Amino acid sequence: SMITLDALQLAIDPATQKPYLSAADAANVQIMYEDDEDQVYDSWWPMLAPGTKPVRKSQSGTACLGNVILPLAGSSSSFWQSHWGDQDCHDSFFLRRLFRHLGFEWIRHGDEKETTITFIDRRGETRKLFNLAGRVEKLKKRWPDFNFQVIDFATLPLKEQVSIIHKSDVLVGVTGAAMTHLLWLPEESSLVEIMMP
């Protein structure tokens, strides 16, 4: 969606010689959710349209919509096909915008005084580490100067999860969806992904 709004502000309409989406129009973009179900990322959408609050389709009533922008499809878009290349994801406009939206500073591994190792504890799920507490105690004895934390992310709001990961030097967890948190790791940090046998 960010790419779509950026492209519309950069692309020039040959008929008017002006961007398809002016800066004034971009400031008034209204995000509309197509369903009435709260989603974990709902609080992030306002970074696309900071001047307006997102609404649900059911809240729009019978109002006639003016210009409608449908975002470009992600990896299925023709803009992306066969154009993948190595990219430093820490230099991503998405991450920089997201951190600015959440009020986080951009940090690098080593900016903090002590090394923090975060274990994702997936309680009640099939992908969990046996005797995690015992294993972490052994690690604490071997490396007493490191800060070890074991966290059940299912109990925390998304913003707090991102904040914890962004302040971690090493992220440890079992393979699965929870490992997408690696996006929030500071630059030059490490990931330990434990695979099932």
Side-chain angles (χ1 to χ4, degrees), residues 122-128 152 154:
R122 299 178 71 161
R123 298 178 189 166
E125 293 189 30
T126 55
R127 292 185 200 152
K128 58 185 176 183
D152 179 6

Side-chain angles (χ1 to χ4, degrees), residues 64-131:
C64 181
L65 301 176
N67 294 328
V68 176
I69 302 170
L70 300 176
L72 298 169
S75 59
S76 62
S77 168
S78 57
F79 285 98
W80 293 102
Q81 293 297 320
S82 304
H83 297 292
W84 298 111
D86 291 342
Q87 201 172 19
D88 179 3
C89 55
H90 289 95
D91 193 25
S92 156
F93 72 93
F94 167 72
L95 287 181
R96 291 188 186 277
R97 278 188 182 171
L98 178 65
F99 288 162
R100 189 170 53 244
H101 174 72
L102 296 175
F104 296 160
E105 283 187 44
W106 190 260
I107 59 173
R108 294 174 64 110
H109 162 72
D111 285 352
E112 303 293 322
K113 291 184 180 176
E114 78 178 333
T115 300
T116 299
I117 301 171
T118 302
F119 285 81
I120 296 178
D121 187 7
R122 299 178 71 161
R123 298 178 189 166
E125 293 189 30
T126 55
R127 292 185 200 152
K128 58 185 176 183
L129 294 172
F130 292 105
N131 191 22

Side-chain angles (χ1 to χ4, degrees), residues 21-66:
L21 185 66
S22 71
D25 289 338
N28 291 314
V29 166
Q30 174 68 62
I31 303 293
M32 183 181 289
Y33 304 131
E34 65 180 338
D35 59 36
D36 288 326
E37 294 182 31
D38 290 337
Q39 301 293 329
V40 70
Y41 298 109
D42 283 357
S43 63
W44 292 8
W45 282 102
M47 76 177 163
L48 293 175
T52 61
K53 183 179 179 190
V55 297
R56 302 279 174 194
K57 187 176 175 185
S58 63
Q59 297 170 329
S60 67
T62 58
C64 181
L65 301 176

